[in-house]
Amino acid sequence: MNLSFFDQFSSPSILGIPLILISMAFPALLIPSMGNRWVTNRLSTVQLWIINLITKQLMTPLNKEGHKWALVLTSLMIFLLLTNLLGLLPYTFTPTTQLSMNLALAFPLWFATLLTGLRNQPSKSLGHLLPEGTPTPLIPALIMIETTSLLIRPLALGVRLTANLTAGHLLIQLISTATVSMYSTMPAISLLALLTLFLLTILELAVAMIQAYVFVLLLSLYLQENI
Amino acid sequence: VLHTTRPLHTTQQSLAPVPPLPEKGGEVRHGLIPEEFFQFLYPKTGVTGPYMLGTGLLLYLLSKEIYVVNHETVAAASILTVIVYAVKKFGPDVAAFADKLNEEKIATALAMKNEAIQSLETAIKEEKKEQWRLEGRNYLFDAKRNNIAMLLEANYRERLMMVYNEVKKRLDYQVAMQTLKRQKETDHMIQWVEKNVVQSITPQQQKESIAKCILDLKALSKSAHAAV
């Protein structure tokens, strides 16, 4: 079948039935659940170790109240990691390239942190709008700037993830197309493009993992400010 | 480990003890295709059967353009290269790491068990030692008894000594009294005799004795002069 450049970003459907939910739930099937064994096989051991590492990393800067968010943040991290990494395989659909999904993840979570802060310690969380040690004449302008920065956070979270992954996927597409189309006419350039593709693939692997981490890390930072 | 999902009275009620995990996972050829597939085709097509099947299938898909070579193919090739390289390079290390984690888990539990056993054995040894120590209690009691007897004896002797000293003091006093009395008596007698003698010397006798003494002295001095 012939693909255009944007077919990989269209929401998958078969005979009109949208498959987006299945594609979002699929990564969870790849994680084996812990059976009733004390000493497990290698996969379960490594997986458990990774989850422990992630949870410890995320929960160390948070106080006891913040530990209620452990499940949400860790599962979010695992979900984003898996979806991003799976999207690098050919002919796969990456749900995180859809701005709708990323905003749907970012906005409620960010809003939850904001409301927690405003509800439990309103003056402290509003106090974050003014950095320490600002000269007095600058205060009104700085408050406006900080408020804007606060309100733009969910947008930034969602768009950052979307843009990074979409850009990466598009680049892979374009360079692969260059390789394929120049293969018959200029094989040397094609080889160069292929080399670039290898490097890009490695970059994309890194970006996939880093973006997931950054998303969750920023959320935990917003939580730290407000909890 | 309650088997909550079993159909009516088909299997055992308890799922424990679970059977042990197999030592190695299923055998896989080229990391993807299970060995059983090759064994399945072996009786009919021999060793090269599955490979011929694979190659034929691939060429059929390519030639009939059921699978179209497009940009995704190149992307697939590159990502698969990276994945295969990563697995080949880091696979054994990750496996060793997982094994190490499991080993540490088991070792911790074993260490706890061994420690408990050690402490109990030490307790048993200590108890036995205490029981052996108990056998020597007679010696201890004898020594204590001897000690007390010696103390009593020493105390008795001390008191005896004290009594002796007290009696001696009183007797010495009596003796001293007697000696003093006798002394005083003799002194008094000597004084009385002397006084009477001095009284009895009349002045006439005194003059005569003095003259005699002078004559004796002169005689003596004469003899002395002569001797010199």
Side-chain angles (χ1 to χ4, degrees), chain B residues 86-101:
Chain B
V87 166
K88 279 231 157 28
K89 184 140 191 247
F90 300 115
D93 289 336
V94 172
F97 179 68
D99 285 340
K100 188 167 74 90
L101 284 175

Side-chain angles (χ1 to χ4, degrees), chain A residues 50 118 185 189:
Chain A
I50 288 178
L118 282 177
T185 47
I189 310 285

Side-chain angles (χ1 to χ4, degrees), chain A residues 31-69:
Chain A
I31 307 174
S33 53
M34 294 291 290
N36 50 359
R37 298 197 176 263
W38 179 53
V39 176
T40 51
N41 55 0
R42 285 172 180 166
L43 182 60
S44 298
T45 316
V46 171
Q47 165 198 318
L48 192 65
W49 175 78
I50 288 178
I51 293 182
N52 279 346
L53 187 74
I54 293 173
T55 317
K56 258 192 293 196
Q57 275 275 333
L58 286 173
M59 291 297 125
T60 319
L62 292 171
N63 59 3
K64 201 140 174 270
E65 276 290 306
H67 290 174
K68 287 192 220 167
W69 283 67

Side-chain angles (χ1 to χ4, degrees), chain A residues 37-38 40 42 173 176 180 201, chain B residues 19 71 74 78 99 102 105:
Chain A
R37 298 197 176 263
W38 179 53
T40 51
R42 285 172 180 166
Q173 301 289 337
S176 336
V180 163
T201 314
Chain B
H71 56 274
V74 175
S78 101
D99 285 340
N102 278 345
K105 201 170 168 188

